[in-house]
Amino acid sequence: MSLLGRDLAIDLGAVSTRIYAKGKGIVLDEPSAVMRDSLTGKIIGYGADTADDAGGETFWPVSGGLPVDGELARRMIRHFLRKVHRRPLFRPRVVMALPENATQLERAALRDVAFDAEVRGILLVPHALAAALGAGLPVKDCAGRMVIDIGHDSARVAVLSHGAVVASTTVLSGGRAINRSIVRMVERQHGVLLDEREAEAAKRRAGTDWKPLHRQVVVCGRDPDTGRERSVTLAVQEIYEATKQPVEAIVRAAVDTVGRCPPELVGDLGERGAVLVGGGALLRGLGRRLRAALSMPVRRAERPLESVALGLGRCAENLGLIAKLRDR
């Protein structure tokens, strides 16, 4: 596949990095991970190559859409770009998402990491705007629209109008906090130690529908007394109850964001509602809880995990769209 000269979009997530190529769609979806040799410290793998962790230690250099280890993030992005854009002499332009709460230093750090990874130009798009575009919302009109993006390490709530972010809130209550709540519940009630990957798998297997309530999922963890693997059957209702606290933080953030909007936009939201994106959008019962607290419709995007990448991809397909939105 030749992507020579194509504009690219990079969705730099804490768990996964996705690259969208103009005219091609999403061409890479790999973990945002870097593996070092446990003895020498030498990098021995990136992304999907870190799945086999024999003799290696895995690092995650991205948090909240921003690099927390600039050197590792730069190397990882360069590796991913070279996988999809094999001719380094023809460096691509890239579109990336900028979190609404990013400082000037963090904005500069994101630009520096991208340029050091051998791009020839970078365009930054507000994260909420990218998520809304990817979810198919008509962001350029004057009506208020709400996007709730539940990522791995944070949840972002934003209200948009006229192609701009009117109000936003970020809370450290994303997928990681939800998974840890499940881990604590299983240890407390069943005496089994889960890792977060198993908690994530249990959350996904529980499904997204509110009913039926009697469904069950099986998780595998370690018995702390014997050290042996042990399976536990969980009622889906247990998972629902365990996640109440982190979910309530997301609900409060959404309510607070609405409270800071002009009255005319609040009326729009009551009619048009909110859209859920991100991995946390797959959590069972979340939409129901948000609908009850906000008194507005809440729906999940058709492709919640890929919404930001798809929205950035729309900008890569039409770079003029960014300028049009900025002019509003």
Side-chain angles (χ1 to χ4, degrees):
M1 174 176 56
S2 174
L3 301 180
L4 199 61
R6 294 183 187 271
D7 294 323
L8 304 176
I10 303 176
D11 174 18
L12 191 63
V15 173
S16 299
T17 293
R18 297 178 177 89
I19 296 182
Y20 181 110
K22 182 177 181 179
K24 293 286 186 179
I26 295 175
V27 294
L28 181 138
D29 185 347
E30 295 195 19
S32 300
V34 180
M35 182 181 289
R36 289 186 184 273
D37 186 283
S38 299
L39 297 178
T40 67
K42 180 181 178 181
I43 294 177
I44 57 177
Y46 299 93
D49 297 334
T50 64
D52 181 9
D53 60 359
E57 184 177 2
T58 302
F59 296 85
W60 302 84
V62 178
S63 179
L66 295 166
V68 291
D69 186 318
E71 177 63 16
L72 289 184
R74 175 184 64 80
R75 292 190 178 199
M76 181 184 73
I77 294 171
R78 179 186 292 175
H79 172 80
F80 290 153
L81 287 174
R82 287 181 174 178
K83 286 188 75 170
V84 302
H85 197 279
R86 301 179 186 277
R87 297 284 297 277
L89 291 178
F90 297 88
R91 297 186 297 169
R93 291 182 299 184
V94 301
V95 181
M96 299 181 74
L98 181 71
E100 281 67 41
N101 60 336
T103 65
Q104 288 298 321
L105 285 176
E106 290 170 332
R107 176 194 292 260
L110 182 59
R111 285 185 175 276
D112 289 345
V113 164
F115 279 119
D116 289 345
E118 301 176 344
V119 307
R120 66 182 170 92
I122 176 172
L123 294 168
L124 298 179
V125 176
H127 185 278
L129 190 57
L133 286 169
L137 297 184
V139 298
K140 290 189 288 184
D141 65 15
C142 61
R145 310 277 178 173
M146 175 179 277
V147 179
I148 303 174
D149 183 354
I150 305 171
H152 183 62
D153 44 16
S154 62
R156 302 183 181 95
V157 183
V159 175
L160 302 101
S161 177
H162 286 294
V165 178
V166 177
S168 65
T169 306
T170 300
V171 290
L172 299 178
S173 189
R176 177 187 285 131
I178 292 170
N179 291 344
R180 288 177 176 174
S181 294
I182 296 171
V183 169
R184 288 193 296 270
M185 178 271 291
V186 173
E187 182 179 5
R188 183 176 62 252
Q189 297 187 13
H190 301 276
V192 171
L193 304 179
L194 296 186
D195 62 27
E196 286 191 37
R197 288 179 295 182
E198 184 67 8
E200 173 71 20
K203 181 176 70 180
R204 299 289 180 89
R205 290 196 297 269
T208 57
D209 294 332
W210 171 242
K211 293 181 179 181
L213 295 176
H214 62 271
R215 289 186 300 115
Q216 297 177 323
V217 297
V218 177
V219 296
C220 295
R222 181 172 59 86
D223 188 311
D225 296 325
T226 66
R228 296 179 179 177
E229 185 177 280
R230 181 175 147 202
S231 297
V232 174
T233 300
L234 301 177
V236 168
Q237 182 67 15
E238 287 185 275
I239 296 175
Y240 175 82
E241 294 293 336
T243 60
K244 273 189 174 180
Q245 185 173 345
V247 167
E248 284 307 311
I250 298 170
V251 171
R252 287 194 299 271
V255 172
D256 176 66
T257 305
V258 173
R260 289 186 282 112
C261 290
E264 61 271 19
L265 291 188
V266 175
D268 290 340
L269 295 175
E271 179 181 343
R272 293 171 176 82
V275 63
L276 292 172
V277 303
L282 301 175
L283 179 66
R284 171 187 173 87
L286 176 60
R288 179 178 180 271
R289 287 187 242 187
L290 285 165
R291 281 192 292 273
L294 296 170
S295 299
M296 66 174 67
V298 178
R299 67 175 179 87
R300 187 168 53 251
E302 185 176 344
R303 297 169 67 177
L305 295 172
E306 300 171 341
S307 291
V308 174
L310 293 172
L312 293 172
R314 283 189 60 184
C315 295
E317 295 283 358
N318 178 13
L319 294 178
L321 176 61
I322 301 173
K324 290 178 182 177
L325 292 172
R326 285 175 177 167
D327 289 341
R328 287 180 171 266

